[in-house]
């Protein structure tokens, strides 16, 4: 068994990171992840519990395929909790299809940074266990180094998503501004129309009045 | 992002959009009522469970070990 840990600080609020975490995939840094599905989700005592199935495509060296099988799409089970009051998000992932000999368990903790709550601290842990196959220790090392690389990509991926979300928000703001401008246009044309109507009816009344007046004069 | 079932991808897209909106606008602001996306979630979930069954993906065999950790509160593999 091999344990790998890491910490990373995001210069974004916990709320921003939590929103982005749900939208982490797709991102160009983690092309291996090809699908996510929510299998169960519920709110219990104000905490959101989610069970997701994450599908990813892994490429193993030829020799490893002999042991691990040629299955290229792997499925992982991800269970998570989000506590908005405590500002904590925890995701635990275990893989399902690496056959019984190998397990990779990963845990991610997102919390506000203890010294600067406007930032978010990510703590990451992975446990790699390879049992009952030749070169177990060697394969544990191999997988651990792969996790290390993937973890870096995961963080870059999340940063990419946050940047994308910020762009979306600014385009939403732009959308609101545009529709506000449209409403103003609407208001102006309505006002103009009302003025036209008023002028028209005023003119009509004047015509009527003068017609009546001239009638009286004639009499 | 796709669903494991090709036929569920459009439902997933609609559900995710609803969820992301609910998560940012309601849940993180302290409103924990999750009925907003419940109807679309139900349809999407049924689709995924069917697709998982068709592709022989099950949580059951691993949930035995999984339950040893903190996730005892979530019933495993229900209905699959």
């Amino acid at each position: 068994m091999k344990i790998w840990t890491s910490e990373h600080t995001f210069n974004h609020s916990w709320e921003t990171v939590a929103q982005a975490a749900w939208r982490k995939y797709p991102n160009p840094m983690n092309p291996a992840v090809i699908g996510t599905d929510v299998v169960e989700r519920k709110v219990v005592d104000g905490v959101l519990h989610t069970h997701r199935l994450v599908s990813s495509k892994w490429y193993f060296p030829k020799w490893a395929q002999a042991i691990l099988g040629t299955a290229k799409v792997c499925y992982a089970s991800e269970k998570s909790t989000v506590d908005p009051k405590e500002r904590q998000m925890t995701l635990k992932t275990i893989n399902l299809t690496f056959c019984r000999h190998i397990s990779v368990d990963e845990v991610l903790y997102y919390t506000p940074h203890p010294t600067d709550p406007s930032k978010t601290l990510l703590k990451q842990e992975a446990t790699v266990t390879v049992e009952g196959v030749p070169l177990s220790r060697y394969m544990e090392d191999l997988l651990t180094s792969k996790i290390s690389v993937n973890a870096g990509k995961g963080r870059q991926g999340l940063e990419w998503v946050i940047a994308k979300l910020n762009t979306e928000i600014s385009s939403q703001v732009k959308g609101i501004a545009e529709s506000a401008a449209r409403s103003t246009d609407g208001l102006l044309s309505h006002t103009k129309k009302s003025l036209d109507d008023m002028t028209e009816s005023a003119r009509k009344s004047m015509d009527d009045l003068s017609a009546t007046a001239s009638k009286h004069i004639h009499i | 992002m796709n669903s494991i079932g090709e036929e569920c991808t459009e439902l997933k897209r609609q559900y995710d959009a609803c969820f992301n909106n609910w998560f940012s606008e309601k849940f993180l602001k302290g409103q924990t009522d999750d009925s907003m996306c419940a109807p679309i979630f139900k349809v999407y979930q049924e689709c995924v469970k069917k697709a998982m069954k068709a592709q022989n993906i099950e949580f059951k065999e691993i949930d035995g070990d999984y339950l040893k950790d903190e996730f005892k509160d979530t019933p495993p593999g229900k209905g699959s």
Side-chain angles (χ1 to χ4, degrees):
Chain A
M1 190 169 90
K2 192 125 188 160
I3 298 169
W4 174 89
T5 58
S6 146
E7 280 192 10
H8 178 74
T9 305
F10 289 99
N11 287 324
H12 307 281
S13 72
W14 177 82
E15 283 76 11
T16 303
V17 174
Q19 287 175 56
W22 287 125
R23 301 167 69 163
K24 189 170 169 186
Y25 307 112
N27 75 66
M29 289 78 178
N30 302 101
V33 177
I34 53 167
T36 55
D37 278 301
V38 178
V39 181
E40 274 184 75
R41 184 171 260 159
K42 63 189 173 190
V43 178
V44 182
D45 300 327
V47 177
L48 178 71
H49 295 251
T50 307
H51 187 182
R52 287 203 303 184
L53 177 72
V54 180
S55 326
S56 55
K57 228 172 205 173
W58 283 62
Y59 298 97
F60 297 110
K62 269 265 155 58
W63 63 267
Q65 282 182 17
I67 303 158
L68 300 171
T70 48
K72 275 188 184 146
V73 177
C74 297
Y75 297 101
S77 165
E78 176 204 86
K79 292 192 178 181
S80 61
T81 53
V82 183
D83 186 337
K85 273 199 194 129
E86 298 292 320
R87 298 176 88 205
Q88 279 183 353
M89 180 173 194
T90 307
L91 299 108
K92 296 195 171 200
T93 311
I94 60 163
N95 60 54
L96 296 174
T97 45
F98 274 42
C99 75
R100 288 167 213 283
H101 305 296
I102 294 180
S103 73
V104 181
D105 301 353
E106 189 198 44
V107 193
L108 303 174
Y109 303 96
Y110 292 103
T111 52
H113 198 280
T115 57
D116 183 354
S118 69
K119 293 177 181 172
T120 303
L121 183 68
L122 164 66
K123 282 190 196 170
Q124 215 168 348
E125 268 172 39
T127 315
V128 179
T129 318
V130 179
E131 278 169 353
V133 294
L135 303 167
S136 290
R137 209 118 322 264
Y138 174 73
M139 285 186 55
E140 281 179 359
D141 287 345
L142 189 89
L143 280 167
T144 312
S145 70
K146 191 160 186 159
I147 285 166
S148 204
V149 174
N150 282 342
K153 285 182 190 162
R155 292 191 291 260
Q156 285 168 31
L158 201 62
E159 288 283 7
W160 183 85
V161 173
I162 292 168
K164 193 168 148 252
L165 285 181
N166 287 339
T167 322
E168 260 175 41
I169 291 162
S170 58
S171 74
Q172 271 167 21
V173 171
K174 208 173 142 222
I176 292 164
E178 272 165 8
S179 75
R182 266 203 304 279
S183 318
T184 316
D185 284 351
L187 197 70
L188 281 177
S189 67
H190 273 292
T191 315
K192 193 176 159 286
K193 198 169 171 282
S194 312
L195 279 172
D196 287 348
D197 288 351
M198 268 164 70
T199 318
E200 176 64 19
S201 55
R203 197 180 58 77
K204 234 176 127 197
S205 314
M206 288 296 279
D207 286 351
D208 286 352
L209 202 71
S210 54
T212 320
S214 59
K215 232 187 202 171
H216 280 286
I217 290 162
H218 282 293
I219 293 166
Chain B
M1 195 79 320
N2 295 323
S3 167
I4 50 153
E6 225 183 286
E7 66 281 11
C8 312
T9 297
E10 178 53 29
L11 287 170
K12 176 196 149 55
R13 204 190 54 77
Q14 286 178 25
Y15 168 68
D16 280 352
C18 183
F19 171 79
N20 288 330
N21 188 21
W22 172 80
F23 188 76
S24 323
E25 300 306 318
K26 311 264 175 182
F27 187 69
L28 288 181
K29 292 177 180 170
Q31 297 171 41
T32 54
D33 178 12
D34 61 354
S35 59
M36 186 177 128
C37 306
I40 179 79
F41 183 55
K42 197 168 172 274
V43 186
Y44 162 58
Q45 204 180 23
E46 275 165 14
C47 188
V48 169
K49 289 203 163 152
K50 220 179 267 173
M52 282 175 70
K53 217 172 190 174
Q55 294 178 43
N56 290 317
I57 304 163
E58 277 197 56
F59 288 128
K60 268 182 197 156
E61 57 180 295
I62 56 103
D63 273 326
D65 294 321
Y66 208 8
L67 279 179
K68 283 180 193 151
D69 58 37
E70 296 85 294
F71 282 99
K72 280 178 186 154
D73 47 343
T74 318
K78 216 170 64 182
S80 62

